Structures are given as structure tokens and as C-alpha cells.
Amino acid sequence: MDGVIGFFEQLGPNLQILGERMPLIVEGIWVTAQATALGGLLALAISIVFGVAQVAKYSVVRIIARIFVEFFRGTSLVVQLFWLAFVLPQLPYPFGWQLAPLAIGVLALGLNYGAYGAEVVRGSIGSVPKGQYEAISALSLSPVRGMFRIIIPQAWALMIPSLSNLWIQLLKGSAIVSTVLLYDLYFRIEQVRDQTGTWFAFLFALLAYYLIAWVIVILMNALEVRAKHKIGRGPALSKSWGTLFRSPGSVITEGSLFRAPISGGGKA
Amino acid sequence: MNPSWWDWDHAFAVFPLLLEGFKITLLATVLGTLIAVVLGLVVAIIRRIAPGIIRTPVTWVVEFIRMTPLVVQLVFANLVLSPYIDSTLAIGIWVLGIHYTTYMAEVYRAGIDSVAKGQWEAATALSLPQSRTWRAVVIPQAIRNTLPALGNYAISMFKETPFFVVIYIPEMVRVAQTYGGDTFRYTESITLAGLIFLAASYPTSLLIRRLEKKLA
């Protein structure tokens, strides 16, 4: 019942099995969505805090932020996941926490991709033209006010494409969480596989992940249009619905190529 | 001295095993990068010059691979191919390489776009054949622009080789996990695996940052 031919021969019965198993699969999709959304939020918070800290006035703050970022970027996601799941419970009091699988997944995804995101935030703040900083002092705005009213709105518009790519990376990375007993979409599909055959189950899984990724793309495209409009660099969202469906691959343009290594199209 | 949470005996016992696994990690990174660097260029050129009937499906497939999880692709490919290919490692390396091909193709595309228009015009003015234009004019300039990004993706690939645990390839993290499972001591093996990753990837990323500054 396997192989490409089997895929088409068995399509009808397989769809029926899929229908019967749908409640479990939906549960898996829900877990993946939770891990992706919560992990993404944690990652965003970490990116902003540690991104801004890396350009802070005090070198102590900068150095601590730098160490944090390098540490979580340098040790692989899977290692962090396993460390939280297997090592943390074995540590002595006051540690020795046995976290819930979802908490492990969210923490590992958030810390790892947050560290990458911090680089994106740092790079974007650095890419805001120097004249804008000069304008802050010319208008005698306080540095904090200038940061929040002038620099960050512009940096935000710059960083969204890279953050969007990172969030998709996080979604894709979340497929590993079943190794620490979090029953996500991939885990549920693996359960269905015995009945439907490999091709059907995995093509369905890939398609499901692909569609979730597109939800992220559309959401982030909307955010980008809005951010650009707010700093006067593009049409309002209501006038540019078409741009929502722009593929994330098309964000690396000539101008951002040299920034891309820092933001790395999202990675490294 | 042995504090209760860290046992040096376990650390010394697992370290050589981890280094054995690290060899597989390195091998996968090097071969995966090679695949991605070569195929990525091929894909980027196809997407630039091939007629629409080829370009459109290639674009779709590339985008689909890029936006779906490596983990699922690994398991899928392993299940489908294992009757025909003996080496799980070979399957893993090809999947990793092809997954990163889709990133590299984007990088090359940006690199090709960044070659000044005048260069193309000069090639036409000198009536260079198309193959020569690509080989001698466009690609050398494009690759120079893309080197830092390529390096970053190689590092990122290095850190994604632990995804191989899902198809049980004994790379470093899988070795650490197995050791932990056998001895009920995860602390030393997983911590050391993480530190080895850090020790290998941090200097490399510093190097790439310097390369970036030099080329920019």
C-alpha cells in the first residue's frame, strides 16, 4: 500500500482514515500552533531585550547580552531541548525541575530563536541611518524617547522580513519536540502512518506545515506593510492587499544583501 | 572532587564517544554544504534563465521544501528510500543538503541581482556567449558577494545536524542521548555535547564576521 502508485490507489480510503483520525490530528496541530505561537512570543521578547541591550550605553550590559546571544546561538536547538528535558531534572536542589513538555518546547524554541532574533534587532537598529540619530539630538529629544519614537519604529520595519523568516524557522524547528514527548502535528502523523502508508501521511504533514507557514508569512507581511506605512514609506494595508501573498523568499533584495549575513535570512 | 551533579568519571567516559559522533557531524556538515553550494547555484541559474515551464515548477518545489520542516523531510525520505539505499547517513546528508539548497539558491539569487547591470551590458557589448558571461563575469562577482551568507548557512547546517536523531544516525547528540539512556546520567553527555558545539561554532562565526567586514 506504499509508493507513489499506492498513494493514488489508496487515496479514497486514506482520506477516510484521515477523517476518522482528524480529532487527534487537530490536537497535534493545536500543540504545534501553541509551541510556535508561545515560542515565537518568547523569542520576540528575548530578541528585543537582548537586541537593544547589545547597543546599550553600559559595556557590562552589552557584554552580558553578547554572551547570552552567543551561548544560545552556539549550542544547538536539539541540545538545548534535551538539556531542559533530561539534564535539568537531574540537577540538585534548588534546580531539578521536571518541566511540562510544552514548557520545555516553548523555552528551547524561544531561547534559541530569540538569540538569533537579537542579532536581527541589533542589526536593524544599526541600519537606521545616522542622520536619524543626529535628528534626535537636534530636536533635543531625550535618548530614551528618541529610541522609542524615532529609531525603533524605523528599525521595526527593517527587521520584520528577517523576523518572519525566523518565525518560520521556529515552526519548522518545532517538529523536533516530539523527541521530548510533546505530541505535536508530526507525532500524530507518525501515528497515522501505519494505516495510511508513508506517502499519504507525510505529504499531508508537509502540506499542513506549509499552510501554517503561510499563515505566518501573511501575518508578517501585513505587519510589515503597516510598519512601513506608519513611517511614511508605503501604502496603507487597505490599498495593498496583494503584497500580503508575497513569498518570503523575495525579501532578500540588493540593498539587504550585506545585512543578510547578520540577519542571515534569519539564521546563523 | 566530584560534586553530586557532575561526575567526572562519566564525563571522561563519554568524551571520546562524543568525538566519534562529532566526526559524523562534521562529515555531514561538509558534504551537506558541498551539495547545497553546488545545487543552490544550479537552482539559482535555472530560476534566472530557464523558460517558464521549467522555472515555475522548480520555484514551487524549492519554496515547498524551504517552508516545511527538515525533521519531517528526514523521516519521510528515510522511510521511502531505506529499501533502496543502505546508508541512513547518506540519506540524511542528501536531505540536509537539499534543504539548504533552497536557502543557498536565495543567497545566490541576491548575489546575481547585485552584479551591476553594466557588467551584463559589457558582456553583450563584447559579444561574449551566454555560458562565458555567466562563468567569467557574473558568477565570480556574485559568489564574492555571497560568501558571508554561505558561511553562515554552513554554520547553521552544522547546528542542525542533531536533527538526525529522528532517523537514529549516531552523530554527536544522538551519541549523548544514547549514553544518557544507557547509564541514566544525562548531565555530562548532553552538557559536553553542547559545549563542543559552542567551541566549534563560535570561532567559525567570528571568522565569518571578519570576512563580512572585509568584503562589505
Side-chain angles (χ1 to χ4, degrees):
Chain A
M1 60 187 268
D2 232 351
V4 186
I5 299 163
F7 173 79
F8 287 106
E9 277 176 0
Q10 298 286 326
L11 198 55
N14 277 342
L15 283 173
Q16 204 176 346
I17 296 173
L18 194 67
E20 285 161 15
R21 294 298 207 88
M22 207 32 106
L24 276 183
I25 294 171
V26 169
E27 230 169 80
I29 291 178
W30 174 235
V31 169
T32 292
Q34 273 178 308
T36 306
L38 296 176
L41 278 179
L42 179 62
L44 180 65
I46 290 175
S47 311
I48 293 175
V49 169
F50 286 89
V52 173
Q54 282 187 86
V55 294
K57 207 165 109 190
Y58 304 105
S59 58
V60 185
V61 178
R62 282 204 307 268
I63 289 168
I64 292 173
R66 191 85 232 133
I67 291 173
F68 176 92
V69 167
E70 290 299 344
F71 181 81
F72 283 100
R73 265 166 28 120
T75 55
S76 165
L77 169 68
V78 185
V79 175
Q80 289 158 18
L81 198 69
F82 284 2
W83 203 90
L84 288 173
F86 304 131
V87 178
L88 191 59
Q90 289 194 341
L91 292 183
Y93 182 84
F95 298 101
W97 302 332
Q98 180 68 63
L99 300 175
L102 183 64
I104 295 174
V106 168
L107 263 179
L109 290 169
L111 287 169
N112 188 266
Y113 291 98
Y116 285 105
E119 288 292 275
V120 172
V121 172
R122 181 183 66 95
S124 307
I125 291 176
S127 312
V128 173
K130 221 176 139 210
Q132 300 290 325
Y133 288 91
E134 288 160 3
I136 293 173
S137 39
L139 295 169
S140 63
L141 292 175
S142 76
V144 174
R145 200 171 148 82
M147 193 72 187
F148 282 98
R149 301 284 302 198
I150 311 270
I151 304 300
I152 288 186
Q154 296 182 60
W156 176 238
L158 283 175
M159 69 180 83
I160 290 175
S162 297
L163 291 184
S164 169
N165 275 337
L166 264 186
W167 201 7
I168 293 171
Q169 297 276 3
L170 188 149
L171 163 69
K172 297 194 301 178
S174 80
I176 193 81
V177 294
S178 62
T179 53
V180 295
L181 304 180
L182 183 54
Y183 302 138
D184 68 335
L185 172 60
Y186 163 67
F187 178 84
R188 298 297 180 190
I189 294 297
E190 181 73 346
Q191 282 185 319
V192 179
R193 182 174 67 86
D194 286 344
Q195 291 176 319
T196 62
T198 306
W199 280 86
F200 180 82
F202 275 83
L203 286 180
F204 177 82
L206 289 171
L207 199 65
Y209 276 107
Y210 183 70
L211 292 178
I212 300 175
W214 263 102
V215 173
I216 295 178
V217 170
I218 291 172
L219 197 71
M220 294 303 272
N221 279 346
L223 272 184
E224 192 193 356
V225 170
R226 186 165 162 271
K228 278 192 176 153
H229 181 63
K230 276 182 101 172
I231 56 171
R233 292 218 191 114
L237 188 54
S238 55
K239 284 178 193 136
S240 53
W241 292 110
T243 51
L244 291 189
F245 301 97
R246 206 184 42 200
S247 132
S250 55
V251 296
I252 306 178
T253 54
E254 210 175 313
S256 66
L257 179 64
F258 291 106
R259 210 167 51 240
I262 303 170
S263 50
K267 265 292 208 172
Chain B
M1 195 196 99
N2 269 331
S4 64
W5 54 276
W6 182 268
D7 188 337
W8 282 107
D9 293 340
H10 278 294
F12 284 121
V14 77
F15 194 68
L17 303 176
L18 290 179
L19 287 185
E20 275 306 303
F22 191 64
K23 281 184 197 159
I24 294 182
T25 302
L26 276 186
L27 181 74
T29 309
V30 171
L31 294 181
T33 305
L34 215 64
I35 292 170
V37 162
V38 173
L39 288 185
L41 187 58
V42 172
V43 170
I45 293 175
I46 288 177
R47 286 179 68 171
R48 182 105 190 177
I49 60 176
I53 196 163
I54 299 171
R55 201 174 58 220
T56 312
V58 167
T59 306
W60 279 359
V61 170
V62 164
E63 191 158 290
F64 190 76
I65 294 176
R66 199 183 52 214
M67 285 171 72
T68 50
L70 180 62
V71 168
V72 181
Q73 291 166 4
L74 280 170
V75 178
F76 184 31
N78 189 42
L79 286 169
V80 170
L81 296 176
S82 54
Y84 313 103
I85 299 173
D86 281 336
S87 160
T88 316
L89 181 59
I91 297 175
I93 290 173
W94 274 101
V95 173
L96 185 70
I98 290 174
H99 191 84
Y100 272 84
T101 294
T102 63
Y103 298 134
M104 297 283 195
E106 279 303 315
V107 172
Y108 281 123
R109 194 176 67 144
I112 293 170
D113 284 346
S114 75
V115 173
K117 214 173 143 214
Q119 300 287 323
W120 293 94
E121 289 165 1
T124 315
L126 295 168
S127 60
L128 290 182
Q130 200 188 24
S131 63
R132 187 103 190 272
T133 307
W134 279 97
R135 224 177 39 231
V137 180
V138 177
I139 291 178
Q141 297 183 61
I143 287 191
R144 186 177 181 277
N145 291 343
T146 53
L147 274 180
L150 294 186
N152 272 327
Y153 279 128
I155 299 181
S156 145
M157 205 182 290
F158 171 63
K159 283 180 280 192
E160 288 205 346
T161 50
F163 281 177
F164 283 3
V165 292
V166 292
I167 51 174
Y168 312 114
I169 293 173
E171 49 66 57
M172 188 168 57
V173 176
R174 172 73 189 154
V175 169
Q177 190 197 23
T178 315
Y179 185 88
D182 291 347
T183 59
F184 302 107
R185 283 291 298 189
Y186 285 98
T187 311
E188 295 79 13
S189 59
I190 306 259
T191 308
L192 279 175
L195 291 178
I196 294 175
F197 261 110
L198 191 60
S201 66
Y202 182 57
T204 332
S205 71
L206 280 186
L207 249 160
I208 296 213
R209 203 168 293 177
R210 278 183 61 184
L211 181 73
E212 228 168 71
K213 280 210 181 106
K214 221 175 132 191
L215 292 179

